[in-house]
Amino acid sequence: MADVPGPVSDFIVGEIRRARGAGGMTQEAFGRGAGFSASHVSAVESGTRALTMDFIRGADRAFGNGGIFERLAVKLGTPSWFLPWLDAERGATQLRYFEPNLIPGLLQVEHYARVVLRSVDSLTDDEVEQRVKGRMSRQAILTGERPPQFVAVLDEAALRRTGDGIGGIMAQQVAHLIAMAELPHIHVHVIPLASGLHVGLSGPFALARSGGGVWVGHLENQLGGDVVDKDDEVATLQARWESVRNEALPRRQSIDLLKEVESHHGPQ
């Protein structure tokens, strides 16, 4: 299940530990109520095991507090609508991302992510920084011991976006894409502008394949997002994926295009 971003995790673990102590609960007794072994509880409290949303929900059950820790995690870290997708993303063996307008979150550099999140004017500066940290922490799945196969399809327009103060950021971002695309388990494909209109311009989507071979999808929109797990809807997204993938350049040609775009944006 999805890990909670580090700064949020440290705070919530400390609060859970204090609540357990105040309630006179041993790790074993707390674990029985939360649905985890005493050794698992000990590992989370000592920081040697990641805090997950499942553990947080278990803590709420053990304390019978009406879900206060889950609400705290959502408030401080990640929108509630995104949590189910984080679970799927974290456990995936294969990931497919299509983005017509932005760089996928798992491939964003910190400065680019901050600019994107600041475009949401309802977020405070603190909320932007928390989400930037959360986005950066998600990227650990791509560099772990057993990373998923990751394939991203981008529209060239997303790479050539310009504006006040964004040139250097885009140069840094494209350089990062090139470095990531050189890794054996990461494939970045670009749909050239010359392709014109294509089905992917209707919006971004993602697909995740679990270790058991089950695919789920994710759709994001202006109001939030939805996890797609019905067979017919997943099949539709798979068909859309094949369409946009076929519009894109092969891997090496895509990297060459990324290098050309990097030179266009100028020095970092």
Side-chain angles (χ1 to χ4, degrees):
M1 294 299 175
D3 292 359
V4 177
V8 178
S9 172
D10 294 344
F11 175 74
I12 293 179
V13 167
E15 292 303 305
I16 289 175
R17 186 189 303 112
R18 278 188 283 273
R20 182 176 64 77
M25 301 173 70
T26 65
Q27 290 179 336
E28 183 177 0
F30 170 79
R32 283 197 300 270
F36 293 90
S37 66
S39 61
H40 189 122
V41 174
S42 176
V44 171
E45 290 191 352
S46 66
T48 59
R49 187 163 191 158
L51 176 70
T52 65
M53 289 305 299
D54 270 357
F55 190 91
I56 289 173
R57 294 183 186 112
D60 284 334
R61 289 194 303 271
F63 295 132
N65 59 19
I68 190 171
F69 285 121
E70 182 175 2
R71 292 197 300 275
L72 189 61
V74 171
K75 178 65 176 177
L76 295 178
T78 306
S80 58
W81 57 262
F82 199 50
L83 293 174
W85 173 250
L86 286 181
D87 286 345
E89 186 181 79
R90 178 70 181 179
T93 58
Q94 296 179 356
L95 287 168
R96 306 283 184 261
Y97 272 83
F98 169 69
E99 276 283 358
N101 301 310
L102 297 170
I103 308 302
L106 289 179
L107 295 177
Q108 291 179 5
V109 296
E110 184 173 335
H111 291 318
Y112 180 92
R114 185 172 288 108
V115 170
V116 170
L117 289 166
R118 279 181 176 162
S119 69
V120 183
D121 56 14
S122 62
L123 296 178
T124 67
D125 289 345
D126 285 345
E127 288 171 333
V128 167
E129 291 307 312
Q130 287 289 350
R131 294 194 184 188
V132 168
K133 291 175 183 177
R135 187 163 296 184
M136 295 302 101
S137 71
R138 283 171 56 207
Q139 297 177 2
I141 66 172
L142 296 182
T143 54
E145 292 184 4
R146 301 185 65 180
Q149 182 196 57
F150 182 88
V151 184
V153 174
L154 316 176
D155 198 278
E156 185 180 350
L159 303 171
R160 295 193 180 276
R161 193 170 301 280
T162 58
D164 292 343
I166 200 174
I169 292 174
M170 285 306 301
Q172 180 189 31
Q173 177 61 73
V174 175
H176 180 68
L177 284 175
I178 294 169
M180 297 299 285
E182 297 285 3
L183 298 176
H185 62 287
I186 296 178
H187 303 251
V188 177
H189 299 276
V190 181
I191 299 178
L193 291 173
S195 293
L197 298 177
H198 55 82
V199 68
L201 294 176
S202 297
F205 62 89
L207 290 157
R209 184 180 187 271
S210 70
V214 177
W215 285 93
V216 297
H218 185 259
L219 297 173
E220 193 166 336
N221 56 60
Q222 290 286 343
L223 298 178
D226 295 293
V227 170
V228 176
D229 55 10
K230 294 181 180 178
D231 289 347
D232 57 338
E233 293 177 341
V234 171
T236 297
L237 288 183
Q238 293 279 20
R240 295 286 175 90
W241 171 260
E242 291 301 321
S243 294
V244 297
R245 176 64 186 84
N246 288 335
E247 291 285 346
L249 297 172
R251 186 181 192 183
R252 183 49 54 185
Q253 290 181 32
S254 292
I255 292 175
D256 290 341
L257 179 55
L258 287 169
K259 291 178 178 178
E260 188 275 319
V261 172
E262 181 186 23
S263 66
H264 169 76
H265 283 300
Q268 299 179 31

